[in-house]
Amino acid sequence: MTYSVAVSGASGYAGGEILRLLADHPEFEVRTVTAHQNAGQSLTAVQPHLRSYTHLTLKETSAATLAGHDLVFLALPHGASGAVAAELDADTVVVDCGADHRLEAAADWAAFYGGDFHGAWTYGVPELPRLSGTQRDRLAKTRRIAAPGCNASTVALSLAPGIRAGVIESADLVSVLAVGPSGAGKSAKTHLLASEILGSANPYAVGGTHRHIPEIQQALRWAGAASPTISFTPVIVPMARGILATSTARIVPGTSAAEVRAAWEDAYAGERFVQLLPEGQFPRTADVLGANTALLGLAVDEAAGRVVVVAAVDNLVKGTAGAAIQSANIALGLAESTGLPVNGVAP
């Protein structure tokens, strides 16, 4: 069966990456692409690398334009998806790649985003460990999916196995991330100009202000943490895409290094897209470029009494577009790896 697909925000980075991956999807046919300022242009005028879509023209983003498709991806700015999604048919599978439907608590939305709160949809990180099973169990047959924040899902995948297994404490969690500027979107911003970031590493949203913090805490509560606390510091580095997240947590006293490692091995055993590397090995962002793969390396710092987890993902693939398509596959009853690359691009 072929499913008809519409992609809104198709002129942006996330929308473009969704389209790149969908081009090789055997069950999804992209019929409609929309934009705001770029409406009326051919898709390849703004996404010249997407040569298989030379027949498509960007239309205005509206519920009327998106209606009538089996599957709709909303790659819109935060705060813009909720009103559009509310007008779409309940039988349509809708995947929101913005933040509008990620958070369960209205108070968290008000504190970190502001504006109208549209309620939570099924979170689109299939491998995420929960106290019972994984998030995959909740995606089956859902019709509304909230694709994750790329930083948030990377950190949650890094720490949730230890929380669920009871081998790390949920207080005093620390994550420092090196991130590529594509995660901030395609609109022009002075601090993201090449002359500002080349040859420099620039921290931002320091001191507990980053919008992904409540999303991380929410995911860790699902894994069993009562009141998780995390110090989260992202740093922009001069690579177009990618996240390298280094997360540490206190080990529960009396827990052996073998028990710590076993928690992550058990959580991701058999997973295609989330892989724990052999002991002593740690990932690079280059290893996951273009792939829907998260690679994790783990070490136990005996002197500090902490576990160290290093995770690498491509923020535009596993961090956003790949997670969105993987979740849509599950919702529609397809093999979840359909159309998604596990291999990266090198050099």
Side-chain angles (χ1 to χ4, degrees), residues 157-272:
L157 288 167
S158 297
L159 295 173
I163 297 290
R164 184 175 72 174
V167 299
I168 62 173
E169 299 177 359
S170 59
D172 190 26
L173 304 170
V174 178
S175 292
V176 178
L177 291 74
V179 302
S182 60
K186 203 172 182 178
S187 60
K189 303 177 181 70
T190 300
H191 71 287
L192 298 180
L193 293 172
S195 55
E196 300 291 333
I197 66 172
L198 290 179
S200 182
N202 307 305
Y204 67 102
V206 179
T209 62
H210 198 283
R211 289 172 165 181
H212 287 177
I213 290 174
E215 188 179 337
I216 296 167
Q217 293 172 318
Q218 175 177 275
L220 297 182
R221 285 194 296 271
W222 294 337
S227 300
T229 58
I230 186 166
S231 174
F232 175 88
T233 306
V235 180
I236 292 179
V237 296
M239 57 184 181
R241 57 166 83 197
I243 297 172
L244 189 74
T246 302
S247 301
T248 76
R250 290 199 304 253
I251 297 170
V252 172
T255 305
S256 69
E259 290 171 322
V260 171
R261 185 168 185 85
W264 276 261
E265 290 176 338
D266 293 345
Y268 298 130
E271 290 289 357
R272 179 175 177 83

Side-chain angles (χ1 to χ4, degrees), residues 35-336:
H36 178 51
Q37 291 179 333
N38 293 302
Q41 298 188 62
S42 66
L43 176 63
T44 50
V46 294
Q47 302 282 21
H49 63 297
L50 299 177
R51 304 314 303 174
S52 61
Y53 296 110
T54 55
H55 61 292
L56 291 179
T57 298
L58 292 161
K59 300 179 179 180
E60 288 282 353
T61 298
S62 68
T65 302
L66 298 171
H69 298 83
D70 300 313
L71 173 61
V72 174
F73 292 94
L74 301 174
L76 302 173
H78 302 320
S81 298
V84 174
E87 296 185 49
L88 296 176
D89 191 276
D91 290 333
T92 302
V93 175
V94 184
V95 185
D96 183 8
C97 295
D100 291 26
H101 299 95
R102 293 174 188 160
L103 299 179
E104 293 179 330
D108 286 341
W109 178 264
F112 285 85
Y113 291 92
D116 294 336
F117 177 64
H118 294 283
W121 289 357
T122 309
Y123 195 55
V125 184
E127 304 90 349
L128 184 67
R130 297 184 62 127
L131 267 177
S132 174
T134 66
Q135 188 63 18
R136 178 180 289 111
D137 306 325
R138 291 156 177 80
L139 285 162
K141 298 183 180 180
T142 189
R143 287 295 179 266
R144 294 292 187 268
I145 298 166
C150 53
N151 297 318
S153 60
T154 305
V155 174
L157 288 167
S158 297
L159 295 173
I163 297 290
R164 184 175 72 174
V167 299
I168 62 173
E169 299 177 359
S170 59
D172 190 26
L173 304 170
V174 178
S175 292
V176 178
L177 291 74
V179 302
S182 60
K186 203 172 182 178
S187 60
K189 303 177 181 70
T190 300
H191 71 287
L192 298 180
L193 293 172
S195 55
E196 300 291 333
I197 66 172
L198 290 179
S200 182
N202 307 305
Y204 67 102
V206 179
T209 62
H210 198 283
R211 289 172 165 181
H212 287 177
I213 290 174
E215 188 179 337
I216 296 167
Q217 293 172 318
Q218 175 177 275
L220 297 182
R221 285 194 296 271
W222 294 337
S227 300
T229 58
I230 186 166
S231 174
F232 175 88
T233 306
V235 180
I236 292 179
V237 296
M239 57 184 181
R241 57 166 83 197
I243 297 172
L244 189 74
T246 302
S247 301
T248 76
R250 290 199 304 253
I251 297 170
V252 172
T255 305
S256 69
E259 290 171 322
V260 171
R261 185 168 185 85
W264 276 261
E265 290 176 338
D266 293 345
Y268 298 130
E271 290 289 357
R272 179 175 177 83
F273 294 123
V274 181
Q275 301 176 16
L276 179 66
L277 298 179
E279 192 165 358
Q281 294 185 20
F282 297 91
R284 310 171 303 167
T285 56
D287 301 331
V288 295
L289 183 66
N292 191 51
T293 308
L295 296 181
L296 279 65
L298 183 147
V300 172
D301 186 336
E302 300 276 7
R306 300 182 76 88
V307 64
V308 181
V309 182
V310 181
V313 305
D314 184 324
N315 58 292
L316 292 178
V317 189
K318 187 57 175 167
T320 307
I325 294 169
Q326 185 180 350
S327 299
N329 283 340
I330 295 170
L332 290 167
L334 303 174
E336 68 179 84

